[in-house]
Amino acid sequence: MTDDVRNIVLGVIAAGISGSLGWLARTYLLRRKLRRKQAFFGLPAHSECLLVVNRYAGAEGSVHRYDVFALLELSALIKDCAANAQIVTHDVAQQGFGERTEFCVGGPTSNQRMAAHLRTLLPGVRINTDPEPGPDRVAFQIGSERYRLEPGISEYVLLARLTGGQDARPVFLFCGQRAITNQAATRYVSRHYEKLLRKHGNKSFALLLKVVNSQAYGPDVVEVVGDVTRAAQAPVPTAPPSHRAGGS
């Protein structure tokens, strides 16, 4: 074998080894990324999760199209994790939480289960459910701060990942002032889960997001107002009972 042939053979072998190592490294990184994603969402391969669907106000049994888009965002995420989803309507999801991951979509006026989750898991959140029009309709009260709806201009949505214990599967809440904000929150968590994982790990958190100018940009322009976990989980202080002076 001449030196030229030997060099060619060695070059081919080196290229093959380098390519194999590169493929193994990429495969390892992709699998590691998938495992981290599955852990964050509580969706190991072939596991079952729950998609709780709200209803479209004024149309019994139907779902707003933006909430359908939100469910499609979540369905793609679940498929990426090689998990399976069961879709149930909010009024028949009468079961506990923690045994399997749950994604709950919609505000308390259209989703009874969301209302129950807020009372149980985020008692510091108050949402005005008065159907009468007014400046505080569907306004969020979190701690001492109030967040009013400006339709199409400035709209808020609560994105929360909550667990009932170390080994419990998480509950994800997408609680918006309008249906388009629910889709914005599902899209946000799908795109930014790695950032959320780095910051919060697999712990509970609640973020308040603002959807900016949805009438022009749809659900794509989202700002993080802040981490409201502490205020949302703290019970609202009850007013002391009043005592009326009475004569004897």
Side-chain angles (χ1 to χ4, degrees):
M1 181 182 294
T2 65
D3 290 342
D4 290 341
V5 174
R6 184 184 299 110
N7 290 336
I8 292 173
V9 171
L10 291 175
V12 171
I13 293 173
I17 293 174
S18 177
S20 298
L21 291 175
W23 178 82
L24 289 172
R26 286 193 299 272
T27 301
Y28 170 78
L29 292 175
L30 288 173
R31 288 181 178 176
R32 182 172 179 266
K33 182 178 180 180
L34 175 60
R35 286 195 298 269
R36 286 167 60 85
K37 184 175 186 177
Q38 290 172 328
F40 178 77
F41 289 107
L43 294 173
H46 311 300
S47 62
E48 297 286 335
C49 69
L50 203 63
L51 277 174
V52 181
V53 184
N54 62 347
R55 61 172 173 77
Y56 187 13
E60 189 65 30
S62 66
V63 180
H64 195 286
R65 67 188 183 99
Y66 285 118
D67 287 326
V68 173
F69 295 154
L71 295 175
L72 291 175
E73 300 265 3
L74 293 173
S75 296
L77 183 156
I78 293 165
K79 183 178 180 181
D80 287 345
C81 292
N84 303 303
Q86 177 188 359
I87 300 177
V88 297
T89 55
H90 68 102
D91 51 348
V92 299
Q94 297 175 343
Q95 54 189 284
F97 55 88
E99 292 187 5
R100 52 181 172 169
T101 294
E102 176 182 335
F103 300 93
C104 193
V105 177
T109 56
S110 63
N111 189 323
Q112 296 175 10
R113 189 163 175 86
M114 178 66 75
H117 283 325
L118 292 177
R119 288 193 300 268
T120 304
L121 302 173
L122 297 177
V125 176
R126 291 288 185 268
I127 299 177
N128 185 352
T129 57
D130 188 347
E132 295 299 322
D136 285 332
R137 187 169 182 267
V138 301
F140 287 6
Q141 180 84 28
I142 304 176
S144 60
E145 299 294 329
R146 180 169 296 180
Y147 304 91
R148 290 187 172 96
L149 167 71
E150 296 180 59
I153 305 297
S154 178
E155 302 152 323
Y156 295 93
V157 56
L158 188 68
L159 165 62
R161 180 192 190 275
L162 306 167
T163 58
Q166 184 175 358
D167 297 326
R169 297 282 175 84
V171 176
F172 286 87
L173 305 183
F174 306 92
C175 179
Q177 292 177 325
R178 295 180 67 207
I180 195 170
T181 63
N182 298 330
Q183 184 193 2
T186 58
R187 181 168 295 182
Y188 181 88
V189 78
S190 297
R191 292 179 175 178
H192 300 286
Y193 77 89
E194 290 180 286
K195 179 180 177 181
L196 296 172
L197 179 60
R198 286 193 298 270
K199 183 173 182 179
H200 302 284
N202 292 327
K203 298 178 181 178
S204 295
F205 65 82
L207 300 180
L208 184 66
L209 308 178
K210 181 168 74 171
V211 182
V212 179
N213 201 2
S214 65
Q215 62 186 359
Y217 305 128
D220 288 331
V221 181
V222 174
E223 297 177 357
V224 179
V225 177
D227 185 334
V228 297
T229 308
R230 181 174 298 180
Q233 291 182 329
V236 175
T238 56
S242 60
H243 298 280
R244 298 177 60 187
S248 57

